[in-house]
C-alpha cells in the first residue's frame, strides 16, 4: 500500500513562510526549477567516494546512474558526501573511525530534507558505517555496493588482493622471489576500480547486505567496471523512490530473521571474521538482540559452499559469473528464512524464483556436497576469553584446530615488529604466538594485525602456519589458524594481559575452548602487579572513542550510539 501522507521533506520545502523561502531559495542557486519542490520524494545519495579510498574511487560514476534512476521514477536526487574510510591508506586503522563515519551518516540523513537514502559503499568499513547510521534514522534505505576489482593476473595465473599480499610477502621474506617480482605484483593485482576481489571484508559486507535484503538481488558480486554495476545502480535509484511511496523503512527489513539469514550466508561464502563485529553493531542500532553465541549457534554448523580466496581458489569475478549470492541462496533455501522482505518489495524466495542458477559447480558447491561441512566462524570461550573470541575454520589448518603450545608473548605491535625476526627469539612451530594491546581500546581501533607473519627462521624451515592469538582483528583476505577478538581485551585487564612467555595454551576448536593453563590464584597474583597501558590519546575523537567503545563481543560500537534517534527534527535553523 502506498503512503499518502506528505513526505518528510515537505517540512522543509512545503512551507509557505520565511523558512520555506530560505530552504527553497538557496537550493535554487544550483539551477533547480520550481517543480522539483512540488512534494515529490527527495532521495539522498550518500556517497563514500574519495580518492583516498581507492576501492570507492569510481562511486562518482555510480552516483550518476543512481541519479538517473531517481529522476526516471519521479524523485528529487540530492547527493551528499560523508567521511570515507579507506582500509588501504588510513592510519592507525580504518576501524577506529567506523563509528565516527556512522555518526556522519546518521546526522547528515536526519538533519536534511531526505525521504529515502541510497548508500554508496565499497571498502570494508564504508558498508557497515553507513548502514549503522541509516539504521539509527530508520528511513527507506537501499545499499548500492561499489563492486570488486577485476581478477588480478600475474605470470599467467590469478592473484587475489590481500590474500596474495600475505603469501608473496612470506615468499619475499624467505628469498623465494626477488623484490622486483614483488613490486611487479602491485600493478598486476589492482587492475581496475573496486574493492578487494577476494572474499575479504569488503566482499563479505556486499554479500551481507544482499543476504540481509538491503540491496537488489544479484548485486553483491558484479565487478565494479562491469556495465551491469551501473544498471543495478540505476534500478536502485528507481526502486528507492517506490520504497518511499510504500514507506518501506529499514526497520521492516532488518528483522531478527534477516540477521539470522546473513549469519548463515556468511558461513557459506567463507566470509570475513570481521562480519561478526559489523553485523553485531548494525543489530545494536536496530534494537535487535544479537550476541556472540548466536553466531556460533546459527552459523558454525553451516557448510562452506563458495570456493574463493582466502578459503579457496577463485575470486569474486568468478563468483559473479557462477551465479553470485542468488545461487548461494537457492542452494541454502532449506535452512534460510526465505519469506523475509527485501528492498525489492519481494521476499528472498520471490527474488530468486527465476534466478539462482549455479553456472559453475567448481566455484559454488551444492549444499549436499559442500567444500567443508561445518565452516561457519566458531566462537571460543575459556579463561583466556571470558566473553569470547573467534576463529575462522575455513581459513585455518585442520591439524592445528586442536593444539597445545608454549606462549611466545609480544606486549604490543612495536614489540612484535622489533623481535619477530630475531634469530635468537625462543620460538618453534609448536609455540602459540600471543599479541597484546591491539584491541578496541589498546591500539586503539582494533587493527587487522592478528594474522602475524611468522618468524623468518620458521618460514625458512617451511612452516606455513602456527596458532596465533590476539585481541585484534585480521583482514578478511588473510588466512591461518588465528584466534581473534579476544574479549575482554588486554588493555582493560582481560586475562590476555596476564599471559607470560612459557605459559601453556590449549586451543580446542571442536569443543569451542581456548584455555590458559595458569591457575586462578596465579592469575590473581599477576593481576595485582599489572599496570594498565597509558591511553593513546587524551583529546579529540580518539579520546572519546577510547572512553566509550564497547568490546568486540558487543560490536565495538560506541556505547552512546547503540539504538537510534529516529528521523524527527522539530526545530528550524533560522
Amino acid at each position: 500500500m502506498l503512503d499518502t501522507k506528505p513526505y518528510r521533506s515537505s517540512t522543509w520545502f512545503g512551507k509557505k513562510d520565511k523558512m520555506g523561502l530560505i530552504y527553497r531559495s538557496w537550493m535554487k542557486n544550483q539551477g533547480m526549477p520550481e517543480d522539483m519542490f512540488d512534494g515529490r520524494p527527495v532521495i539522498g545519495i550518500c556517497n563514500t567516494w574519495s580518492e583516498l579510498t581507492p576501492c570507492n574511487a569510481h562511486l562518482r560514476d555510480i552516483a550518476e546512474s543512481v541519479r538517473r534512476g531517481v529522476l526516471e521514477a519521479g524523485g528529487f536526487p540530492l547527493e551528499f558526501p560523508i567521511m570515507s574510510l579507506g582500509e588501504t591508506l588510513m592510519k592507525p586503522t580504518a576501524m577506529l573511525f567506523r563509528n565516527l563515519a556512522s555518526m556522519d551518516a546518521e546526522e547528515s540523513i536526519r538533519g536534511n530534507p531526505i525521504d529515502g537514502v541510497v548508500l554508496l559503499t565499497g571498502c570494508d568499513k564504508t558498508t557497515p558505517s553507513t548502514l549503522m547510521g541509516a539504521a539509527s534514522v530508520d528511513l527507506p534505505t537501499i545499499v548500492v555496493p561499489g563492486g570488486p576489482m577485476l581478477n588480478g593476473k600475474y605470470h599467467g595465473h590469478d592473484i587475489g588482493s590481500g590474500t596474495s599480499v600475505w603469501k608473496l610477502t612470506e615468499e619475499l621474506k624467505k628469498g623465494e622471489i626477488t623484490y622486483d617480482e614483488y613490486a611487479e605484483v602491485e600493478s598486476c593485482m589492482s587492475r581496475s576500480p573496486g574493492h578487494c576481489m577476494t572474499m575479504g571484508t569488503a566482499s563479505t559486507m556486499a554479500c551481507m547486505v544482499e543476504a540481509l535484503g538491503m540491496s537488489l538481488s544479484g548485486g553483491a558480486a558484479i565487478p565494479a567496471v562491469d556495465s551491469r554495476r551501473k544498471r543495478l545502480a540505476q534500478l536502485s535509484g528507481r526502486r528507492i523512490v517506490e520504497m518511499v511511496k510504500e514507506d518501506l523503512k529499514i526497520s521492516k527489513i532488518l528483522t531478527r530473521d534477516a540477521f539470522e539469514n546473513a549469519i548463515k550466508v556468511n558461513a557459506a561464502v567463507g566470509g570475513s571474521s570481521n562480519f561478526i563485529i559489523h553485523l553485531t553493531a548494525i543489530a545494536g542500532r536496530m534494537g535487535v538482540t544479537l550476541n556472540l553465541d548466536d553466531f556460533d549457534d546459527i552459523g558454525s554448523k553451516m557448510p562452506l559452499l563458495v570456493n574463493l580466496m582466502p578459503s579457496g581458489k577463485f575470486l569474486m569475478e568468478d563468483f559473479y559469473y557462477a551465479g553470485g549470492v542468488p545461487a548461494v541462496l537457492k542452494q541454502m533455501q532449506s535452512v534460510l528464512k526465505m519469506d523475509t522482505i527485501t528492498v525489492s518489495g519481494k521476499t528472498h524466495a520471490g527474488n530468486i524464483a527465476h534466478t539462482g542458477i549455479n553456472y559453475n559447480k567448481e566455484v559454488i558447491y551444492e549444499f549436499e556436497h559442500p567444500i567443508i561441512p561445518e565452516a561457519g566462524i566458531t566462537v571460543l570461550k575459556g579463561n583466556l576469553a571470558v566473553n569470547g573470541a573467534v576463529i575462522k575454520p575455513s581459513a585455518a589448518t585442520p591439524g592445528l584446530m586442536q593444539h597445545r603450545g608454549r606462549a611466545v608473548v609480544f606486549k604490543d605491535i612495536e614489540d612484535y615488529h622489533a623481535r619477530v625476526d630475531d634469530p635468537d627469539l625462543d620460538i618453534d612451530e609448536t609455540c602459540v604466538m600471543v599479541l597484546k594491546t591491539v584491541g578496541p581500546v589498546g591500539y586503539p581501533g582494533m587493527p587487522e594485525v592478528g594474522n602475524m607473519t611468522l618468524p623468518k627462521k620458521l618460514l625458512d624451515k617451511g612452516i606455513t602456519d602456527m596458532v596465533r592469538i590476539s585481541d585484534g582483528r585480521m583482514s578478511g583476505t588473510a588466512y591461518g589458524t588465528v584466534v581473534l577478538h579476544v574479549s575482554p581485551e588486554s588493555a582493560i585487564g582481560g586475562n590476555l594481559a596476564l599471559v607470560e612467555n612459557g605459559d601453556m595454551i590449549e586451543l580446542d576448536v571442536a569443543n569451542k575452548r581456548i584455555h590458559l593453563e595458569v591457575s586462578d590464584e596465579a592469575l590473581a597474583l599477576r593481576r595485582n602487579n599489572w599496570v594498565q597501558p597509558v591511553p593513546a590519546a587524551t583529546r579529540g575523537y580518539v579520546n572519546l572513542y577510547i572512553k566509550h567503545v564497547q568490546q568486540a563481543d558487543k560490536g565495538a560500537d560506541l556505547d552512546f550510539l547503540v539504538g537510534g534517534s529516529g528521523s524527527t527534527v522539530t526545530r528550524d535553523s533560522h
Side-chain angles (χ1 to χ4, degrees):
M1 181 180 296
L2 297 182
D3 186 11
T4 57
K5 301 190 300 291
Y7 298 128
R8 179 175 180 268
S9 58
S10 67
T11 61
W12 278 265
F13 298 141
K15 290 189 171 187
K16 307 299 182 184
D17 57 10
K18 174 194 73 176
M19 292 312 305
L21 182 149
I22 290 173
Y23 292 136
R24 292 186 297 272
S25 177
W26 265 263
M27 289 296 289
K28 287 181 178 179
N29 77 356
Q30 300 174 71
M32 294 170 181
E34 183 68 30
D35 60 2
M36 296 305 285
F37 306 96
D38 62 4
R40 66 188 67 192
V42 177
I43 305 301
I45 304 174
C46 177
N47 200 343
T48 56
W49 169 87
S50 171
E51 290 183 336
L52 292 170
T53 306
C55 308
N56 297 20
H58 61 304
L59 291 186
R60 272 180 164 173
D61 287 343
I62 301 299
E64 287 304 311
S65 295
V66 173
R67 182 186 301 276
R68 282 199 297 272
V70 172
L71 289 170
E72 288 167 350
F76 180 5
L78 293 171
E79 183 182 350
F80 63 95
I82 66 161
M83 183 180 191
S84 187
L85 304 178
E87 194 68 38
T88 56
L89 297 182
M90 186 167 264
K91 294 182 179 182
T93 170
M95 182 62 180
L96 177 61
F97 304 104
R98 183 201 67 178
N99 300 334
L100 179 60
S102 79
M103 294 168 71
D104 190 351
E106 177 178 348
E107 302 306 338
S108 293
I109 295 168
R110 181 183 295 114
N112 282 293
I114 292 171
D115 301 308
V117 63
V118 181
L119 307 177
L120 301 189
T121 69
C123 196
D124 296 15
K125 310 305 177 295
T126 59
T127 303
S129 64
T130 54
L131 199 50
M132 289 160 65
S136 291
V137 184
D138 194 23
L139 294 176
T141 302
I142 193 168
V143 180
V144 177
M149 292 186 282
L150 297 175
N151 289 0
K153 300 287 184 180
Y154 175 68
H155 291 185
H157 62 271
D158 285 354
I159 57 172
S161 47
T163 302
S164 294
V165 171
W166 320 128
K167 179 177 179 291
L168 290 164
T169 299
E170 289 177 357
E171 291 178 0
L172 179 68
K173 206 170 181 180
K174 291 186 288 186
E176 294 177 356
I177 60 172
T178 67
Y179 182 75
D180 287 343
E181 291 174 307
Y182 186 71
E184 185 183 354
V185 170
E186 294 176 14
S187 300
C188 298
M189 187 171 66
S190 303
R191 298 196 301 123
S192 78
H195 59 67
C196 290
M197 81 299 276
T198 50
M199 188 54 75
T201 305
S203 296
T204 298
M205 292 297 99
C207 293
M208 177 192 76
V209 294
E210 189 168 338
L212 286 170
M214 286 302 303
S215 62
L216 292 182
S217 182
I222 305 172
V225 294
D226 191 308
S227 62
R228 287 166 287 191
R229 174 61 56 191
K230 290 185 177 180
R231 174 180 175 273
L232 179 91
Q234 190 161 340
L235 292 173
S236 297
R238 294 179 187 175
R239 179 59 197 152
I240 189 63
V241 175
E242 297 307 310
M243 289 175 68
V244 171
K245 293 177 181 178
E246 296 164 9
D247 196 29
L248 183 52
K249 295 180 179 179
I250 195 170
S251 56
K252 298 177 182 179
I253 298 171
L254 291 185
T255 62
R256 170 74 187 196
D257 284 350
F259 285 102
E260 291 188 8
N261 283 341
I263 291 171
K264 292 176 181 178
V265 171
N266 187 65
V269 301
S272 166
S273 55
N274 293 307
F275 165 85
I276 292 180
I277 287 192
H278 298 319
L279 195 73
T280 302
I282 295 165
R285 297 298 184 95
M286 290 306 309
V288 173
T289 301
L290 198 65
N291 58 51
L292 207 51
D293 290 335
D294 288 326
F295 289 88
D296 206 350
D297 297 340
I298 297 166
S300 66
K301 301 296 183 183
M302 288 293 108
L304 176 66
L305 303 182
V306 179
N307 186 14
L308 257 66
M309 298 181 193
S311 299
K313 174 183 176 183
F314 295 98
L315 296 167
M316 285 295 285
E317 195 177 343
D318 308 304
F319 181 43
Y320 177 59
Y321 303 147
V325 172
V328 174
L329 294 178
K330 184 150 283 188
Q331 288 295 324
M332 299 184 71
Q333 55 188 329
S334 64
V335 296
L336 297 177
K337 308 286 179 61
M338 297 297 289
D339 59 349
T340 56
I341 197 70
T342 73
V343 292
S344 70
K346 300 177 182 178
T347 64
H348 275 309
N351 287 337
I352 66 167
H354 304 292
T355 62
I357 299 170
N358 183 358
Y359 296 103
N360 189 336
K361 293 183 180 180
E362 285 188 79
V363 178
I364 303 173
Y365 282 52
E366 295 177 345
F367 187 79
E368 295 78 13
H369 305 286
I371 303 168
I372 301 174
E374 296 180 1
I377 293 166
T378 300
V379 176
L380 307 170
K381 289 191 176 179
N383 67 346
L384 195 53
V386 175
N387 294 338
V390 303
I391 188 169
K392 183 178 175 180
S394 64
T397 301
L400 290 174
M401 300 284 270
Q402 188 167 25
H403 183 80
R404 180 175 179 270
R406 171 173 58 87
V408 176
V409 178
F410 302 96
K411 65 180 181 179
D412 53 34
I413 194 65
E414 288 77 20
D415 183 38
Y416 164 76
H417 287 309
R419 295 195 297 122
V420 66
D421 290 330
D422 185 342
D424 296 327
L425 181 66
D426 184 14
I427 192 170
D428 61 42
E429 60 269 28
T430 68
C431 292
V432 175
M433 298 174 68
V434 176
L435 177 59
K436 302 180 183 181
T437 328
V438 291
V441 172
Y443 199 77
M446 202 179 179
E448 295 181 339
V449 296
N451 56 313
M452 296 166 267
T453 302
L454 304 189
K456 182 178 186 303
K457 68 179 182 180
L458 297 185
L459 292 172
D460 289 343
K461 286 177 60 178
I463 305 303
T464 59
D465 195 10
M466 292 173 63
V467 175
R468 288 158 272 181
I469 300 173
S470 79
D471 45 14
R473 300 178 298 116
M474 77 174 180
S475 168
T477 67
Y479 49 86
T481 310
V482 185
V483 177
L484 303 154
H485 309 183
V486 170
S487 177
E489 66 173 294
S490 56
I492 65 169
N495 284 346
L496 185 68
L498 309 178
V499 181
E500 296 180 356
N501 285 310
D503 289 346
M504 298 303 294
I505 295 176
E506 180 190 11
L507 170 65
D508 186 349
V509 177
N511 290 303
K512 302 176 182 180
R513 186 168 182 260
I514 183 77
H515 181 68
L516 176 65
E517 295 182 3
V518 176
S519 69
D520 291 344
E521 294 77 14
L523 288 177
L525 288 173
R526 292 182 187 182
R527 187 173 299 282
N528 288 336
N529 296 320
W530 177 73
V531 178
Q532 186 166 8
V534 175
T538 56
R539 66 166 300 279
Y541 169 74
V542 179
N543 179 49
L544 182 73
Y545 177 95
I546 290 169
K547 288 180 177 178
H548 291 279
V549 69
Q550 297 179 310
Q551 288 294 285
D553 62 297
K554 301 289 188 184
D557 201 357
L558 302 185
D559 53 19
F560 60 83
L561 291 178
V562 175
S565 301
S567 62
T568 302
V569 183
T570 58
R571 289 174 172 172
D572 287 313
S573 57
H574 290 81

